[in-house]
Amino acid sequence: MYNFDIAKPTTIADAVQALKADEAQPLSGGQTLIPTLKARLAMPSTLVSLHGIDEMKGVCNDDEGRLCIGGATTHATVMREAKDDYPGLASLAARIGDPAVRNRGTIGGSVANNDPSACYPAAVLGSGATVVTNTREIAADDYFKGMFETALEEGEIVTEVKFPIPQAAHYEKMIQPASRFPLVAVFVARFADGVRVAVTGASNNGVFRWSEAEAALSSNFSADAVAGLSVSGDEMISDLHGTGAYRAHLVGVMTKRAVAALA
């Protein structure tokens, strides 16, 4: 590690002000950032901790019936407090990493980092959620731009995520045992006006919607509806854990399992 300053704001406004310092970087749960600092792959002069901002914590419902989760809310809190309103999301949170990760990592940190194998981006995109920052609201379809890339601008903080609650949802995850990240995972959400299918862990372009499966499932919500569908392996991640073709195959397998679990 190396020397750096740390700011501990207690309001969003103070955090935004602190981030205006040269080479300042926000610190949420730190599950990715701290290992990055230890490896000196990033060397900010100031870390702005978001942990003490109470207005960014908690789970509630808004007047539109959406489940609203503060950006500094831990996975463990989502696991406990979302289980009645959105059990599919609570189940996803319960299977992120291990207890240490779940009690420290936050939804805002995960969504802001947008790791191509992270769990929450699949739920956000699969739910058609809205990402709220200190300056604006961004629809999920406009938010995720690619691997570790989002629509966030410099100095923006993910303060809240607003989830429309589907009729039913399920997250099916093939775990990579060493990292506990998904090798491939699929989030399926069924709404009155159609089905959304989001895939994480598979693509070089990060989380994505599988539109062909969405169309098929919106017409016939059964595992048979996607049995003949496939995605190309050309843009899939290929590494020592699995080839692009293998990940493409798993997209179909995980989707069918998720639908079967709901149907």
Side-chain angles (χ1 to χ4, degrees), residues 156-175:
E156 266 190 298
I157 300 170
V158 176
T159 59
E160 188 179 39
V161 184
K162 298 180 179 180
F163 289 89
I165 300 175
Q167 296 172 334
H170 185 75
Y171 181 60
E172 194 67 33
K173 174 179 177 180
M174 175 69 78
I175 295 174

Side-chain angles (χ1 to χ4, degrees), residues 73-81 93 99 101-105 120:
T73 306
T74 65
H75 313 322
T77 300
V78 176
M79 173 185 73
R80 293 190 301 269
E81 298 187 10
V101 170
R102 291 192 290 273
N103 281 286
R104 188 66 189 179
Y120 271 126

Side-chain angles (χ1 to χ4, degrees), residues 16 19 26 112 133-136 138 151-158:
V16 171
L19 285 169
T133 76
N134 53 295
T135 61
R136 55 183 171 147
I138 311 169
L152 291 176
E153 297 177 353
E154 188 172 352
E156 266 190 298
I157 300 170
V158 176

Side-chain angles (χ1 to χ4, degrees), residues 9-242:
T10 57
T11 67
I12 294 172
D14 287 345
V16 171
Q17 185 62 36
L19 285 169
K20 293 179 180 180
D22 290 340
E23 299 183 20
Q25 188 165 343
L27 171 66
S28 192
Q31 302 307 295
T32 297
L33 181 56
I34 296 301
T36 301
L37 297 180
K38 288 181 177 179
R40 301 203 176 197
L41 297 175
M43 298 179 67
S45 60
T46 302
L47 292 182
V48 180
S49 174
L50 307 179
H51 181 70
I53 303 177
D54 289 339
E55 61 186 306
M56 285 177 54
K57 297 179 181 179
V59 179
C60 65
N61 296 93
D62 68 5
D63 54 9
E64 296 183 29
R66 295 177 295 185
L67 189 70
C68 302
I69 304 176
T73 306
T74 65
H75 313 322
T77 300
V78 176
M79 173 185 73
R80 293 190 301 269
E81 298 187 10
K83 63 181 180 180
D84 292 334
D85 290 320
Y86 199 161
L89 180 63
S91 175
L92 176 149
R95 289 178 282 154
I96 295 176
D98 54 30
V101 170
R102 291 192 290 273
N103 281 286
R104 188 66 189 179
T106 66
I107 186 171
S110 176
V111 172
N113 190 47
N114 191 24
D115 188 293
S117 293
C119 297
Y120 271 126
V124 173
L125 188 60
S127 302
T130 299
V131 179
V132 182
T133 76
N134 53 295
T135 61
R136 55 183 171 147
E137 296 190 357
I138 311 169
D141 288 326
D142 300 323
Y143 177 81
F144 299 103
K145 298 296 185 181
M147 185 180 289
F148 294 107
E149 185 180 358
T150 72
L152 291 176
E153 297 177 353
E154 188 172 352
E156 266 190 298
I157 300 170
V158 176
T159 59
E160 188 179 39
V161 184
K162 298 180 179 180
F163 289 89
I165 300 175
Q167 296 172 334
H170 185 75
Y171 181 60
E172 194 67 33
K173 174 179 177 180
M174 175 69 78
I175 295 174
Q176 201 287 89
S179 68
R180 305 298 295 175
F181 275 93
L183 187 65
V184 170
V186 175
F187 192 92
V188 175
R190 185 179 188 181
F191 293 88
D193 59 353
V195 177
R196 293 176 69 102
V197 179
V199 182
T200 189
S203 174
N204 284 313
N205 297 314
V207 65
F208 68 94
R209 288 175 63 186
W210 188 11
S211 57
E212 293 83 0
E214 291 178 343
L217 291 169
S218 294
S219 298
N220 173 25
F221 194 77
S222 71
D224 291 340
V226 295
L229 303 180
S230 62
V231 297
S232 171
D234 294 343
E235 294 297 322
M236 297 296 161
I237 298 169
S238 185
D239 57 22
L240 75 165
H241 302 298

